[in-house]
Amino acid sequence: MPSVCCAVGCKNNKSQKKGIIFYNIPKDPERRLRWIAAIARENWSPNNNSRLCSQHFVSGKKSENQFDPDYVPSLFPYQSLEQQQKIVNSFERFRRQWAKRKRPEYTENMSNNIEHNYCKPPPKTVCKGAITKIFMPK
């Protein structure tokens, strides 16, 4: 059976354009519901042959990272250009932040700067002086 995109208003099919990837609707119940909500078809539930094309993902492919905007499809013909631009902007922001987290120098600096002094008891002289100042009259 030929792959046809199930998104409303999308005419993409496998034989028409090369370079477009068609994805099955996920089996994971939570993610599946999010995809169905994003596709926004009335009175529709996907079957085993339902596919969604890569043009509904900002990067052009789905992501397995649940924090990535492409974890759920987000670009559809029913959206205004302004809505689509906001989605693309949020995707770019996410990629910059994610790249920052993955940089080795970023993670190394973070681990080197961690101080564990809060775990150590304060020096006795500081404690004695503090207690003396609080509880002992002058």
Side-chain angles (χ1 to χ4, degrees):
M1 182 168 191
S3 293
V4 177
C5 186
C6 64
V8 175
C10 185
K11 308 278 189 238
N12 291 334
N13 63 57
K14 207 166 200 166
S15 62
Q16 178 190 39
K17 291 184 180 179
K18 293 186 181 191
I20 294 180
I21 301 166
F22 288 84
Y23 297 106
N24 293 331
I25 308 301
K27 299 275 186 226
D28 171 55
E30 184 269 334
R31 190 174 184 190
R32 184 179 183 88
L33 287 175
R34 290 176 64 185
W35 275 45
I36 292 169
I39 293 168
R41 290 183 67 165
E42 288 185 31
N43 303 321
W44 176 76
S45 63
N47 59 34
N48 291 337
N49 297 319
S50 299
R51 306 281 187 273
L52 190 71
C53 77
S54 56
Q55 289 192 333
H56 302 289
F57 298 91
V58 179
S59 68
K61 59 184 178 181
K62 74 176 184 174
S63 173
E64 296 304 321
N65 178 349
Q66 67 179 351
F67 302 110
D68 192 319
D70 277 340
Y71 185 69
V72 176
S74 56
L75 299 175
F76 294 96
Y78 62 79
Q79 297 165 325
S80 69
L81 291 177
E82 186 177 287
Q83 287 174 312
Q84 290 181 3
Q85 188 58 50
K86 284 182 183 178
I87 292 166
V88 170
N89 291 344
S90 72
F91 175 80
E92 289 170 357
R93 234 181 353 267
F94 168 81
R95 289 292 176 171
R96 283 192 305 272
Q97 291 170 350
W98 193 257
K100 202 184 272 188
R101 284 185 200 150
K102 289 193 161 204
R103 278 193 218 143
E105 69 273 7
Y106 180 78
T107 54
E108 285 172 15
N109 289 341
M110 291 300 288
S111 62
N112 290 339
N113 291 335
I114 295 174
E115 292 184 20
H116 295 286
N117 290 338
Y118 62 87
C119 297
K120 298 177 186 175
K124 290 182 181 180
T125 56
V126 173
C127 284
K128 185 177 178 185
I131 291 172
T132 304
K133 287 180 184 174
I134 296 171
F135 295 108
M136 302 299 272
K138 290 184 181 182

